Amino acid sequence: MPDFDSGHIFLTTLAPVKDGTCAIKGHGHWSWRQRLRNALVELPVAHQSPATVDTGLGSPFARNQRTHLARMFVLDDVVYNGREGHDAIKSSIKALAGDKDAGNPALPQHIDYLNCSYLVFCADIDAVTRTGDPLPATLSKGEQEKVRRTYAEELWTTMGEELAAIYSNCHGFDGVTDAKGFADYLERCHVQTTMPFHDYYIMPQDQLLKAFNRLPLKPLAAAVLLPAAVACLAFLLALFTEWDMPLVGGNPIWTMIIAGALACVAFILSVRYAIRNGEKPLPPAQYDDLRSVLKGLYIQQKFSDFVIDMQGETPEAIHAAFGIWLALHAPDDLDGPTQAPGVIRSPSLPTEPARATS
């Protein structure tokens, strides 16, 4: 299903950038596009390396616990993929028939282009309206819109100042002053996508294959090929013999018509079923929500530290230390100690030794 899969919304919006220039106090006139690029450059990014940790700044998207991934960039135009290919033999035949322009590479072809630059915003978010709710397996279009709106309102609540600095360079944003207005604006800019941005499935391969919406190929093939085979047999009998249809009797011509029609209907229904089956979203995995992902990253780091610290210790000491470690880090408690969004390493707790971050 577009936009929704594995319990997540893959949000994509395109906001048209204003044409012309605007006055910047002390800096003359700048284009709206350049002003937008400057606002994006000034936006702090998530901690991706020790150097970004040392800046003391963090991505404003990390102020909520629903955003797995967020990306903003300016799209000036679509990519030109080159000329459309043609069949050299057909072009030669057309040229011999008098169409001298057929396949002529000197003649220009239609090229797609954008009427203006666009601000593209992509986000992979938990498809829930409240942080902590379980990920849904299915969502109607109305429910998906509700998720998008609540997410946009949460973004405005947590980073409205940054969003205003960015989207004030886009058409139609004038007058947006609150969370509802921003949700309405982002909904107008929304475009459907069928491209997911992540893959969290960690189950064994046999379970993973069961999770996917597999087609019943043998029943579908039988539903199409059996009436098609009967139609072919009836056609051959009508063409070369004067026999009736074996077993069932009757005129082979009528049998051929009826069986052929059934084969066509079965083929059309099979194709529609395959398309609907492909549009069905995959179920969410057990640990797909952001809170579980953050907890997993936290436990991974803390357990690695524990293993390093226990090198050379006796089994009794390791057993006792592991009990303390379990009580301190609570692996099963998502509300317990965990990693904050937008960072690459969790800080040390007061009761554990501090470790280097690089």
Side-chain angles (χ1 to χ4, degrees):
M1 180 181 294
D3 293 333
F4 175 74
D5 199 18
S6 65
H8 296 81
I9 291 288
F10 305 106
L11 176 65
T12 303
T13 65
L14 273 72
V17 181
K18 295 178 181 178
D19 292 325
T21 62
C22 61
I24 305 296
K25 186 176 181 180
H27 298 280
H29 285 75
W30 287 12
S31 68
W32 291 102
R33 184 176 58 183
Q34 184 58 46
R35 188 169 179 264
L36 170 59
R37 292 185 185 277
N38 287 357
L40 293 178
V41 168
E42 294 171 358
L43 198 67
V45 298
H47 294 174
Q48 302 166 340
S49 66
T52 58
V53 175
D54 294 339
T55 64
L57 301 174
S59 171
F61 289 100
R63 297 170 190 166
N64 69 80
Q65 289 203 356
R66 291 174 58 188
T67 308
H68 291 251
L69 173 148
R71 184 186 181 194
M72 281 183 166
F73 61 94
V74 178
L75 179 64
D76 290 319
D77 212 337
V78 294
V79 176
Y80 176 59
N81 290 320
R83 293 177 59 87
E84 295 181 4
H86 67 276
D87 190 318
I89 297 177
K90 290 183 179 179
S91 297
S92 300
I93 294 175
K94 289 181 180 180
L96 292 175
D99 186 358
K100 298 181 179 180
D101 295 337
N104 187 350
L107 297 178
Q109 294 180 341
H110 173 75
I111 299 176
D112 293 326
Y113 61 90
L114 300 178
N115 57 353
C116 67
S117 298
Y118 284 84
L119 169 63
V120 181
F121 171 45
C122 302
D124 173 0
I125 64 175
D126 287 341
V128 296
T129 55
R130 293 185 306 175
T131 301
D133 287 349
L135 298 181
T138 59
L139 280 182
S140 66
K141 290 185 178 180
E143 291 170 333
Q144 290 184 41
E145 180 179 346
K146 185 177 180 180
V147 170
R148 294 195 300 268
R149 286 184 174 276
T150 56
Y151 175 69
E153 291 175 0
E154 185 174 359
L155 280 184
W156 185 267
T157 302
T158 55
M159 55 177 294
E161 183 177 349
E162 291 90 344
L163 292 173
I166 293 171
Y167 279 95
S168 60
N169 304 287
C170 299
H171 283 288
F173 187 77
D174 299 335
V176 175
T177 57
D178 57 15
K180 182 180 182 304
F182 180 68
D184 292 338
Y185 178 76
L186 215 59
E187 192 63 25
R188 294 197 300 271
C189 299
H190 167 247
V191 295
Q192 287 189 344
T193 179
T194 56
M195 182 180 65
F197 306 142
H198 81 265
D199 181 11
Y200 286 146
Y201 278 104
I202 58 174
M203 62 185 69
Q205 185 175 5
D206 56 339
Q207 298 180 22
L208 183 61
L209 292 176
K210 293 179 181 178
F212 285 92
N213 303 317
R214 302 177 67 83
L215 281 174
L217 293 179
K218 291 183 179 179
L220 291 178
V224 176
L225 295 179
L226 287 179
V230 172
C232 291
L233 176 60
F235 173 74
L236 294 176
L237 289 177
L239 186 63
F240 296 108
T241 72
E242 296 182 356
W243 299 348
D244 290 337
M245 287 296 298
L247 299 180
V248 296
N251 191 325
I253 296 179
W254 281 108
T255 303
M256 177 188 67
I257 294 174
I258 295 173
L262 289 176
C264 292
V265 171
F267 176 76
I268 294 173
L269 294 178
S270 297
V271 171
R272 290 183 176 180
Y273 176 82
I275 293 174
R276 288 196 303 269
N277 188 74
E279 291 177 344
K280 289 190 298 185
L282 296 176
Q286 186 176 2
Y287 306 108
D288 261 14
D289 61 289
L290 183 61
R291 296 170 73 228
S292 296
V293 172
L294 292 173
K295 186 69 176 187
L297 293 173
Y298 174 85
I299 293 298
Q300 181 187 56
Q301 295 173 29
K302 298 306 179 183
F303 188 72
S304 298
D305 293 342
F306 174 80
V307 171
I308 294 173
D309 293 339
M310 290 295 104
Q311 295 298 305
E313 296 290 342
T314 63
E316 294 76 11
I318 295 175
H319 184 270
F322 187 63
I324 298 174
W325 184 90
L326 288 175
L328 182 63
H329 299 294
D332 293 330
D333 185 6
L334 297 181
D335 296 321
T338 188
Q339 179 156 316
V343 301
I344 60 173
R345 188 167 183 86
S346 304
S348 298
L349 297 178
T351 55
E352 65 178 352
R355 305 184 69 91
T357 58
S358 60

